[in-house]
Amino acid sequence: MAGIYLHIPFCKQACYYCNFHFSTLVKNRSEMVNALLAEIDLQQDFFHAIPVAEKEVPVHTIYFGGGTPSLLEANDIQRLIQKIRGHFNVSGDPEITLEANPDDISMEKLSAWRGAGVNRLSIGVQSFFEEDLKWMNRGHNARQALRCMEDARKAGFDNFSADLIYGIPRQSDERWRENINKMIALEVPHLSCYALTVEARTPLDNFIRRGKYPPVDEAQAARQYEMLMELLAEAGYEHYEISNFAKPGRRSVHNSNYWHGASYLGVGPSAHSYRGETRQWNVTNNAVYVKSILEGRIPFEKETLTPVMQLNEYIMTSFRTREGCDLDYLQSKWGPEEKRKMETESRKFRERKWMTLKSGHLVLTSRGKLFADGIAAELFRERPAMPKK
């Protein structure tokens, strides 16, 4: 099962915490769309290089991410989808997701997006409180945060996701609880919830260093994450990945494929692609990207993943999922010795009640999910020297 991701590198303004690649020079959208269309032409044979058994597997997901894809005209979205359909074996009922900000959502745009072929939205709500939104420098207000999801459902989007951020300084537990309860009351099909993190060279990082903003409180974030897991479990959501919760049948197919090692093509500046044994990423510069593409060259770097690197990646991604680390798969892919090592080295986490062994799968408990990255890092195999690109 393959997927295609399109990175739309434009935003109206910069959220203080964001370190994704984007530009606020939205006047260059048409030029960028033409480059994206041209890259799809250049990448039409991308999936031919994956293992023979996967060659005929169609593209099941198309994902418009960014940046802010909802800044694109519906006609441009439709052109990109049609271009993909013209070059790739797209399944009969693909999941086509568009990331959208609440301030871009109107009944007119929702109708246009549906007409262009989008059948799923990922909405960057983040909070229902004005104070939080201003603190993050979001472009929408609390009223828009609430209204956009009601409008999405009225427009016929029964499959959509909303984002929330926890661990925001001065965000009380009660306010966080209210954010969660509003999502539950709205019966949002899917939630992606992230701890506020301080990324290097972001405005947030600068503000904290200068003492303008308080540092992130890890204890607060852990406490609010535990609240999140408890409340959503009680409301019938499936906690299928560390940061993602879904009503039955509403998992994100596109992102699930990432976590389960499916191949994907990334189109656009900074977009990453993956084919099992190789990974590549486009240049993180809009002007260089557009110039190269329009000259018929894809400006990317590439690495070959050694067996150890592939194993580490499986350890990292599998422990993030509800299914966990499959010991039989580990043995079939990397040998019986790796299975034995994993059983032995994971014992200390099982003794701490951070992990359980269920039907041959090592799965993190709710408590263990608080330490997911650290657990995976301790279980990594020694990484060899990086191969030359």
Side-chain angles (χ1 to χ4, degrees):
M1 185 180 293
I4 295 178
Y5 170 85
L6 299 100
H7 188 80
I8 312 301
F10 300 110
C11 289
K12 293 177 184 175
Q13 63 190 55
C15 299
Y16 290 154
Y17 56 84
C18 181
N19 72 334
F20 291 165
H21 172 63
F22 69 93
S23 169
T24 54
L25 297 175
V26 296
K27 65 180 181 180
N28 296 325
R29 282 178 297 181
S30 295
E31 183 183 50
M32 180 60 68
V33 169
N34 288 335
L36 295 172
L37 290 165
E39 188 185 354
I40 294 170
D41 286 334
L42 295 171
Q43 295 276 30
Q44 60 183 293
D45 293 328
F46 177 83
F47 293 114
H48 293 178
I50 64 179
V52 174
E54 296 184 45
K55 278 187 179 179
E56 301 306 318
V57 176
V59 170
H60 278 81
T61 65
I62 301 170
Y63 193 103
F64 290 84
T68 310
S70 52
L71 291 176
L72 290 184
E73 297 295 334
N75 179 59
D76 288 331
I77 295 169
Q78 185 173 41
R79 289 168 64 204
L80 288 162
I81 293 172
Q82 288 175 342
K83 177 69 76 170
I84 290 170
R85 288 185 178 278
H87 284 315
F88 298 95
N89 180 21
V90 179
S91 67
D93 185 26
E95 176 190 87
I96 304 179
T97 302
L98 177 80
E99 289 184 353
N101 281 346
D103 47 309
D104 292 328
I105 294 176
S106 65
M107 293 302 293
E108 181 181 3
K109 285 188 175 181
L110 287 164
S111 176
W113 292 337
R114 280 180 56 81
V118 176
N119 55 29
R120 182 178 184 272
L121 297 177
S122 178
I123 306 173
V125 173
Q126 314 309 356
S127 176
F128 293 105
F129 290 91
E130 209 72 50
E131 180 181 347
D132 295 341
L133 296 172
K134 289 179 179 178
W135 191 93
M136 292 182 282
N137 199 40
R138 295 292 294 172
H140 65 279
N141 57 41
R143 178 181 56 80
Q144 291 169 321
L146 184 63
R147 189 194 66 200
C148 67
M149 289 180 291
E150 296 171 340
D151 286 350
R153 187 168 270 121
K154 288 177 186 176
F157 283 97
D158 61 345
N159 189 15
F160 64 92
S161 177
D163 291 356
L164 284 176
I165 293 180
Y166 58 92
I168 301 170
R170 302 191 186 96
Q171 180 188 59
S172 67
D173 289 352
E174 187 53 42
R175 199 159 75 200
W176 174 237
R177 184 185 299 274
E178 191 169 340
N179 270 334
I180 301 168
N181 285 334
K182 281 188 179 181
M183 289 292 187
I184 293 171
L186 288 166
E187 298 184 327
V188 177
H190 184 284
L191 285 168
S192 294
C193 304
Y194 305 100
L196 180 70
T197 55
V198 183
E199 303 290 350
R201 295 182 294 279
T202 60
L204 178 58
D205 179 41
N206 182 45
F207 294 158
I208 291 174
R209 289 177 183 275
R210 290 164 45 199
K212 183 177 178 180
Y213 276 18
V216 171
D217 184 339
E218 293 184 5
Q220 172 198 350
R223 188 173 64 250
Q224 292 181 349
Y225 183 58
E226 290 182 303
M227 290 172 57
L228 174 73
M229 289 188 286
E230 180 180 351
L231 290 171
L232 291 182
E234 291 173 355
Y237 284 82
E238 177 189 40
H239 191 182
Y240 73 100
E241 193 272 341
I242 290 289
S243 302
N244 289 272
F245 305 77
K247 290 286 191 179
R250 292 304 186 188
R251 292 188 182 192
S252 166
V253 178
H254 186 83
N255 289 337
S256 292
N257 288 345
Y258 285 163
W259 302 317
H260 291 98
S263 298
Y264 56 86
L265 167 64
V267 175
S270 82
H272 284 59
S273 303
Y274 173 77
R275 284 190 299 221
E277 295 182 356
T278 62
R279 177 178 288 106
Q280 64 191 59
W281 52 95
N282 288 348
V283 66
T284 306
N285 181 298
N286 287 2
V288 172
Y289 169 79
V290 170
K291 183 177 185 296
S292 298
I293 291 294
L294 297 184
E295 291 174 351
R297 297 179 293 104
I298 304 171
F300 70 94
E301 294 184 66
K302 183 176 182 178
E303 68 176 351
T304 298
L305 303 176
T306 66
V308 170
M309 293 166 72
Q310 292 175 53
L311 173 56
N312 285 346
E313 183 155 313
Y314 176 70
I315 290 170
M316 179 182 68
T317 56
S318 66
F319 278 115
R320 293 187 64 88
T321 68
R322 182 183 181 92
E323 292 74 28
C325 178
D326 184 341
L327 293 174
D328 286 340
Y329 175 74
L330 202 70
Q331 176 171 296
S332 66
K333 177 89 173 172
W334 291 281
E337 182 59 28
E338 289 299 342
K339 177 181 179 179
R340 285 193 291 272
K341 283 183 181 178
M342 182 62 71
E343 289 174 323
T344 300
E345 295 175 13
S346 66
R347 186 171 296 128
K348 61 183 176 183
F349 300 119
R350 284 179 276 152
E351 290 172 351
R352 294 176 196 170
K353 309 298 183 185
W354 292 359
M355 186 186 295
T356 60
L357 179 59
K358 299 178 180 178
S359 303
H361 290 241
L362 289 166
V363 181
L364 296 184
T365 63
S366 292
R367 184 64 180 169
K369 289 171 183 174
L370 293 170
F371 311 102
D373 290 343
I375 291 170
E378 285 198 44
L379 294 172
F380 282 168
R381 302 301 175 245
E382 184 177 353
R383 185 179 290 272
M386 293 288 287
K388 293 182 180 180
K389 297 168 184 175

